Structures are given as structure tokens and as C-alpha cells.
């Protein structure tokens, strides 16, 4: 066959820019067409092969992504019934949240096809006995179960250790040293995004967070063989509405993880990404728009290379868990996978000059922040002295200011408001930041939605 492209002369980036400047008829190219993001990145009007840095490497996506569903386990029997129901309706992996040691987790796991169902278990407590019991149950079984032990994430959000620094790390050491088949570690990167951190900060804090675990594991007693054991870390990552930036965020996260983890002498380190929509841009009024937001956010998560994607119900912030909201959320992912065929191409973003450049720029900015954190004593040290919290607050205040000045639009809330919307009588959950004064070891990182202040004022007027 004749290659028709041979008939066209290649156009350089310089020639394209000259043509654009001519069409502007005197208007300034930089001021007119270059968008300056809050991340400090200049987004150009076009990207070209000439502009991609030579040797830049964008990680490939996993070969498959799973539709995940989050289930709060309050008791065994209802949870087993719900798990069987959601698995029969298209859910492929489970995210089980357990807040009590009284739960008999093994009785739940017995009812699941462990070999073919990825399960992420998030405990809202730290108990060596509870986890050891489950690890013993899983021993010699083929399974895809992982735990989400994240003592640093708990510290960041709550301001306190589960017990204290020494005890928490000793429990973690013992669990890892006695286990060789089940992934135990996780990094909750979502709290940084939901509190207002910009994208390079989110990446840097997530990697610095993980690096605390690397450092600790590399200095433990060699007799435990912990430092030589392979282990996997699950990154819980929330996804915002900046479509292409969020795709690049996940790719940059993988890129820096590979770079940093390669510096340690472990048997093998790998990462999984459990992605889900951010809470930060979700709204109480005109709540159906939340479905549009979560859809594009899940698209970014898939294209960015998540292993599992869990969306959120449109009414999650003000309604108790309900079958209708869960079904609509699940169907969003089923449509993306089975009708939009988002599972047919392994790396659909490959070859995009824009995404490759954006990934590289975000990675470079995040790496600079990461290096500054390490120079400043490490992530825990900067959490303790409040540096991380201060940086997130600065970014959050800028984002909040943009929202209030309508430079950042949330449709139905600060633009195109439906004046007839009434929500006061529909609130089943308190949708705003709760603050309870208490003594903490560090200042906690507080998650807050952009629309909270305006929504509270609006509720008063109803």
C-alpha cells in the first residue's frame, strides 16, 4: 500500500508557532494562548514531537483495571449478602472498610472466590492479633487479598499514632517479617488532594510518605530478613476534575515511585493504584452534576493507569449509603468498560505529546519537592514541624480564592445556580468539615470541600 503521508512535508514546531503568531495579528502569543496552571506549568496551545524531551519515559498502564466497590463492614451476614450481590452485578474487586476488631473477617473471606477477586482491606485500627489471624487463614491459599496498613496516613489525618510511634512501627515490623505472601502496606495519598494540595505536592507527598516506609524497612534488624523481602504498596489516590493533568499525575506517580524504590536493596518493590473521585469538588446543590464529575474523574483514573477504580455515589456527601446511588455509581464504570471499551487498549495515552510532556513536567516539579522534604529531615519530620500542613493550606487557600472569584467553576454552585434548589430537609449526613478539639501529636491534615462555606450560607437562607 502507498504511504500517503510521504506526500506531505514534515512541519516543525518552530514553523507551527510562526504560523500561529502570524494568525494572532499582533496579539502576544504568551499572554493570549498560554495557560498558566496552579501547578506552575505553562500549558501551550499545541505540542509537537520536537518538544518532547529526548529519553523521557512514561510508564505503561497495567494490562487490566478492575471495577471496585467500597463496602463498610459493620457486621458479617449483611456484608456477605451485599458482597455477593455486587459481585453478581459487575463489580470485579472489593474495598472492605472495617472499623471494629469484633468483625469476623475470615467468615466473610470464606464466602468469596479469593483466587479471582482482588480484595483491599482497610482497617480503621491497628491490631497485630486481628491481622495475624487473617494472614494465617490466607496462608497456603491462592488469593488476591491485600491489607491497607498505613500508620503514617493515620497520623496525617488524625494527628495521632494508633498507639505511639514505637509501638506502631514494631507491630508493622512484626507483621511484615512474619508474612511473605500478602501485601500489607498502603499509602493514603487522597488526604492531600482532598485537603487542597496541588498535583506536584500530591505526588511528592505520596512518594515521601512511601519513602518513610522504605527507610524504616531498610534499617530493621537484618535477622528478620524484612529488608530483603519483596513487598507491594497500594496507593489510595483521589482524582480531580483537571482531566489531562490527572492522567499525567498517575503516570508521574509511577515514574517517581520506580526511580525512588530502585535506590533500595529490597527483593522487589511494586505498586498498585486504587483510584477514586475526589471529594473536594463535590457539591450539595445541583447534586446530579456530581455524576458528570465522577465520570470524567474515573476516565482520568483509567487512562492514567489505575489498577482498580472505585467511583462514588452522586449523593454520597449528604445521603446514607443507598442501593440506588450505589447502582448508578457502579453502572458508570460498567458503561466505561463494557460500552465505551476503556479496557480494550492497554495504554491509550501513549504517543500523546501533550501527556508525555505534562507527565515529565509534573514529575520534575514533584521530584524537586520530594528532594526538599528529604533535605528537611524527611516526611515525618516535616509533618511534625507543620511544614507539610502549611504548604497544603497555602495551595488550598489559592484554590478557594479561585472558587470564590469564579475562576474555578462548580456548575450549579458558584455559576448557573438553581435558585429553587432546596436541600435542608434532605440531609441525612452532615456534609461539612467536623472539628472536635482534642490533643494531637501533630496538626492533622483536614479534608474540606470547596463549596462548604457557600453551601452553609445558602442553607441558612432556605
Amino acid at each position: 500500500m502507498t504511504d500517503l503521508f510521504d506526500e506531505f512535508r514534515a512541519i516543525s514546531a518552530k514553523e507551527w508557532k510562526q504560523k500561529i503568531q502570524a494568525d494572532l495579528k499582533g496579539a502576544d502569543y504568551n499572554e493570549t494562548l498560554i495557560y498558566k496552571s496552579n501547578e506552575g506549568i505553562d500549558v501551550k496551545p499545541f505540542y509537537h514531537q520536537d518538544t518532547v524531551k529526548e529519553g523521557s519515559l512514561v510508564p505503561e498502564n497495567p494490562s487490566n483495571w478492575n471495577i471496585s466497590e467500597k463496602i463498610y463492614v459493620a457486621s458479617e451476614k449483611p456484608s456477605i449478602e451485599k458482597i455477593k450481590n455486587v459481585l453478581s452485578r459487575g463489580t470485579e474487586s472489593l474495598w472492605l472498610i472495617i472499623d471494629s476488631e469484633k468483625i469476623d473477617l475470615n467468615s466473610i473471606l470464606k464466602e468469596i472466590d479469593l483466587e479471582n477477586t482482588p480484595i483491599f482491606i482497610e482497617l480503621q485500627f491497628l491490631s497485630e492479633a486481628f491481622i495475624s489471624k487473617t494472614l494465617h487463614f490466607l496462608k497456603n491459599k491462592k488469593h488476591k487479598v491485600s491489607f491497607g496498613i498505613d500508620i503514617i496516613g493515620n497520623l496525617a489525618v488524625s494527628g495521632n499514632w494508633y498507639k505511639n510511634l514505637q509501638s506502631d512501627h514494631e507491630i508493622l515490623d512484626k507483621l511484615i517479617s512474619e508474612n511473605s505472601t500478602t501485601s500489607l502496606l498502603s499509602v493514603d495519598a487522597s488526604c492531600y488532594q482532598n485537603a487542597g494540595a496541588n498535583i506536584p505536592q500530591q505526588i511528592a507527598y505520596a512518594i515521601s510518605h512511601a519513602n518513610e516506609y522504605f527507610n524504616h524497612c531498610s534499617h530493621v534488624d537484618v535477622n528478620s530478613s524484612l529488608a530483603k523481602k519483596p513487598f507491594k504498596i497500594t496507593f489510595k489516590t483521589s482524582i480531580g476534575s483537571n482531566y489531562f493533568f490527572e492522567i499525567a499525575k498517575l503516570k508521574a506517580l509511577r515514574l517517581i515511585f520506580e526511580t525512588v524504590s530502585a535506590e533500595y536493596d529490597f527483593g522487589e518493590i511494586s505498586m498498585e493504584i486504587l483510584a477514586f473521585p475526589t471529594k473536594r469538588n463535590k457539591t450539595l446543590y445541583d447534586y446530579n452534576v456530581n455524576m458528570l464529575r465522577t465520570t470524567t474523574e474515573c476516565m482520568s483514573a483509567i487512562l492514567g493507569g489505575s489498577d482498580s477504580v472505585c467511583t462514588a455515589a452522586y449523593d454520597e456527601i449528604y445521603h446514607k449509603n443507598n442501593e440506588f446511588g450505589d447502582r448508578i455509581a457502579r453502572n458508570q464504570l460498567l458503561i466505561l468498560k463494557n460500552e465505551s471499551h476503556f479496557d480494550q487498549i492497554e495504554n491509550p495515552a501513549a504517543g500523546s505529546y501533550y501527556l508525555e510532556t505534562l507527565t515529565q513536567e509534573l514529575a520534575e516539579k514533584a521530584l524537586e519537592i520530594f528532594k526538599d522534604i528529604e533535605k528537611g529531615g524527611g516526611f515525618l519530620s516535616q509533618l511534625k514541624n507543620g511544614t507539610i500542613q502549611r504548604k497544603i493550606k497555602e495551595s488550598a487557600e489559592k484554590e478557594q480564592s479561585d472558587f470564590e472569584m469564579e475562576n474555578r467553576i462548580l456548575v450549579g454552585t458558584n455559576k448557573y445556580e438553581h435558585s429553587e434548589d432546596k436541600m435542608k430537609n434532605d440531609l441525612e449526613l452532615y456534609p461539612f468539615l467536623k472539628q472536635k478539639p482534642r490533643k494531637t501529636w501533630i496538626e492533622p491534615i483536614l479534608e474540606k470541600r470547596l463549596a462548604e462555606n457557600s453551601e452553609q450560607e445558602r442553607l441558612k437562607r432556605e
Side-chain angles (χ1 to χ4, degrees), residues 24 66 149 284 304 306 322 358 370 401:
L24 286 173
N66 294 306
I149 302 175
L284 191 58
S306 300
N322 61 89
L358 196 53
F370 171 78
S401 175

Side-chain angles (χ1 to χ4, degrees), residues 104-123:
D104 183 1
L105 179 58
N106 292 354
S107 68
I108 297 174
L109 295 178
K110 285 177 185 176
E111 302 295 326
I112 305 172
D113 179 1
L114 300 179
E115 188 173 350
N116 297 304
T117 310
I119 303 172
F120 177 73
I121 300 169
E122 179 182 334
L123 304 181

Side-chain angles (χ1 to χ4, degrees), residues 392-450:
I392 292 176
K393 281 181 182 177
E394 289 171 358
S395 175
E397 287 169 1
K398 172 66 170 66
E399 194 176 31
Q400 190 71 46
S401 175
D402 285 346
F403 169 77
E404 290 168 1
M405 295 176 66
E406 296 186 6
N407 294 325
R408 183 180 180 85
I409 303 299
L410 292 182
V411 172
T413 300
N414 67 339
K415 195 80 169 177
Y416 310 116
E417 177 183 322
H418 292 187
S419 58
E420 296 180 3
D421 274 2
K422 307 293 180 185
M423 290 299 299
K424 184 180 290 186
N425 296 326
D426 292 329
L427 303 184
E428 296 177 354
L429 301 172
Y430 186 72
F432 308 115
L433 174 66
K434 297 177 184 177
Q435 288 186 277
K436 186 177 180 181
R438 55 191 169 82
K439 187 176 181 180
T440 58
W441 191 66
I442 66 166
E443 179 188 351
I445 294 172
L446 302 176
E447 301 180 359
K448 184 177 180 181
R449 294 182 298 108
L450 280 169

Side-chain angles (χ1 to χ4, degrees), residues 46-57:
F46 77 100
Y47 287 79
H48 190 280
Q49 187 175 10
D50 294 353
T51 63
V52 178
K53 291 185 179 179
E54 193 171 336
S56 65
L57 181 64

Side-chain angles (χ1 to χ4, degrees), residues 89-313:
R89 299 173 72 177
T91 296
E92 299 166 324
S93 69
L94 300 169
W95 174 4
L96 305 182
I97 298 179
I98 302 172
D99 66 358
S100 171
E101 294 183 55
K102 295 179 181 179
I103 296 295
D104 183 1
L105 179 58
N106 292 354
S107 68
I108 297 174
L109 295 178
K110 285 177 185 176
E111 302 295 326
I112 305 172
D113 179 1
L114 300 179
E115 188 173 350
N116 297 304
T117 310
I119 303 172
F120 177 73
I121 300 169
E122 179 182 334
L123 304 181
Q124 298 186 332
F125 54 89
L126 183 63
S127 169
E128 181 186 340
F130 185 94
I131 299 170
S132 294
K133 183 180 177 182
T134 304
L135 292 176
H136 180 73
F137 169 78
L138 294 171
K139 195 172 183 179
N140 300 323
K141 287 184 174 67
K142 289 184 178 180
H143 67 84
K144 295 182 179 180
V145 177
S146 62
F147 276 90
I149 302 175
D150 186 12
I151 57 178
I152 296 172
N154 176 71
L155 171 69
V157 172
S158 71
N160 288 316
W161 298 100
Y162 286 107
K163 294 179 175 64
N164 56 61
L165 186 150
Q166 183 177 346
S167 295
D168 284 12
H169 280 85
E170 284 177 354
I171 291 172
L172 182 61
D173 290 351
K174 190 169 183 181
L175 288 168
I176 295 177
S177 63
E178 293 176 352
N179 166 71
S180 60
T181 61
T182 304
S183 172
L184 296 174
L185 287 168
S186 74
V187 167
D188 184 1
S190 68
C191 64
Y192 311 125
Q193 200 272 349
N194 283 318
N198 63 38
I199 289 177
Q201 287 174 333
Q202 293 169 45
I203 300 167
Y205 298 160
I207 297 298
S208 294
H209 186 150
N211 197 50
E212 288 290 337
Y213 293 131
F214 294 158
N215 280 323
H216 177 76
C217 291
S218 65
H219 290 97
V220 297
D221 183 0
V222 292
N223 293 326
S224 71
S225 71
L226 174 58
K228 296 294 182 183
K229 282 194 175 184
F231 60 86
K232 182 185 293 180
I233 299 182
T234 300
F235 283 78
K236 290 167 52 189
T237 312
S238 56
I239 305 298
S241 58
N242 195 337
Y243 188 74
F244 291 107
F245 271 65
E246 293 293 337
I247 296 172
K249 176 177 82 176
L250 296 184
K251 291 183 174 295
L253 179 65
R254 284 193 184 275
L255 184 61
I256 299 183
F257 179 85
E258 291 173 2
T259 302
V260 173
S261 62
E263 297 299 314
Y264 290 88
D265 185 21
F266 294 96
E268 180 186 350
I269 305 177
S270 57
M271 72 180 298
E272 282 194 356
I273 295 176
L274 169 59
F276 42 92
T278 181
K279 297 175 185 175
R280 189 144 172 86
N281 65 357
K282 301 307 177 287
T283 56
L284 191 58
Y285 290 92
D286 207 358
Y287 48 77
N288 286 317
V289 181
N290 290 333
M291 279 189 275
L292 303 178
R293 297 179 182 123
T294 55
T295 299
T296 63
E297 288 157 4
C298 287
M299 289 166 67
S300 292
I302 296 163
L303 298 176
S306 300
D307 296 276
S308 294
V309 181
C310 179
T311 191

